[in-house]
Amino acid sequence: MYIVFEGIDGCGKSTQIELLKEKLPNVVVTKEPGGTDFGVKARELLLHSEIRSAKAELLLFLADRAEHYTEVVEPNLKNTLISDRGFLSGIAYAMSSNFDLNFLIELNKFTLNNNLPDKIVLFEITEDELINRVGQREQDKIESRGFDYLLNIQKNMKKVADIMNLDYLLIDATDSIENIHSKIIEYISN
Ligand code: ADP
């Protein structure tokens, strides 16, 4: 089973993935970008270098996704595979560069050999809580685009999940860590 945790930075994905690892020691955990050797280099370029072309940025994310699919997702489809981010983030970020949505969906399906995640845990955070959490830590290039930008990405993620009719669990990121953990366990056990 391929499960993706989606949500903007600071919404609590890694906190919940760590808790799941303790509870379910057999899960395989990965992330995008950065879950492969190529991905580590792509992540470095994406988050810390100047890329002027939105197309170049998109294609680098997609290259990372295709490599991650071949190297990590496909070999683990029989395991419980949990990824910190995936194609939903990819589409949501690219939408802010005004690419056609159907084109983005097709490109992302192409990188995944048409195998979309079985389940998605989608975190939603309020503006106040986002400022409270992300404002306190060092920001990478994408985070530094500002809170309105990030909140717009968040809106896009839910919009795409609805348009694509995806199976997702919506998490109120301001809920307690324990409550969120219980909801996730229930969702992925079904
Ligand atoms: P992400 O992986 O989505 O960027 P993190 O798991 O790193 O988010 O969480 C960001 C910050 O918010 C961390 O300092 C973490 O301790 C805190 N945090 C995570 N979940 C909650 C929660 N439910 N309530 C309050 N703080 C939280």
Side-chain angles (χ1 to χ4, degrees):
M1 183 165 56
Y2 175 28
I3 306 164
V4 178
F5 281 46
E6 296 277 17
I8 56 178
D9 277 304
C11 67
K13 300 180 298 298
S14 19
T15 303
Q16 293 299 329
I17 290 172
E18 283 305 311
L19 286 177
L20 270 186
K21 272 204 291 198
E22 284 166 27
K23 180 108 178 186
L24 310 168
N26 291 330
V27 296
V28 180
V29 172
T30 182
K31 67 177 174 187
E32 283 188 38
T36 62
D37 285 348
F38 169 77
V40 171
K41 292 180 183 133
R43 185 184 179 93
E44 178 62 26
L45 283 171
L46 285 162
L47 298 183
H48 300 291
S49 71
E50 184 68 30
I51 303 175
R52 289 182 56 205
S53 160
K55 289 178 189 170
E57 186 178 78
L58 170 67
L59 292 169
L60 195 46
F61 269 115
L62 290 167
D64 171 64
R65 184 152 304 119
E67 177 66 6
H68 181 260
Y69 182 81
T70 300
E71 200 178 311
V72 181
V73 179
E74 200 166 44
N76 281 296
L77 284 174
K78 292 207 168 81
N79 296 321
T80 302
L81 176 69
I82 296 186
S83 183
D84 188 338
R85 293 185 181 270
F87 82 102
L88 200 54
S89 287
I91 294 178
Y93 277 93
M95 280 166 79
S96 55
S97 299
N98 291 322
F99 294 114
D100 176 74
L101 179 56
N102 287 325
F103 180 58
L104 291 175
I105 291 173
E106 285 313 308
L107 285 173
N108 276 276
K109 283 184 174 170
F110 176 65
T111 65
L112 297 173
N113 278 358
N114 276 319
N115 289 314
L116 296 179
D118 301 294
K119 293 187 181 227
I120 296 172
V121 179
L122 178 58
F123 291 75
E124 262 194 340
I125 193 164
T126 58
E127 182 171 7
D128 286 351
E129 187 64 12
L130 177 67
I131 293 168
N132 189 23
R133 290 190 202 170
V134 176
Q136 289 171 6
R137 66 184 195 192
E138 199 182 318
Q139 297 186 346
D140 64 37
K141 192 184 84 186
I142 291 182
E143 285 172 337
S144 69
R145 291 176 186 174
F147 296 119
D148 286 348
Y149 174 82
L150 292 177
L151 290 165
N152 191 45
I153 303 292
Q154 169 170 281
K155 215 183 289 166
N156 287 346
M157 285 188 202
K158 183 159 184 303
K159 188 170 150 189
V160 175
D162 288 332
I163 288 174
M164 292 181 73
N165 242 330
L166 300 172
D167 183 341
Y168 70 92
L169 171 71
L170 190 64
I171 293 288
D172 172 359
T174 64
D175 200 354
S176 72
I177 290 175
E178 297 70 28
N179 277 350
I180 296 174
H181 177 62
S182 311
K183 285 178 184 160
I184 293 173
I185 290 282
E186 194 190 331
Y187 175 64
I188 68 175
S189 310
N190 278 333

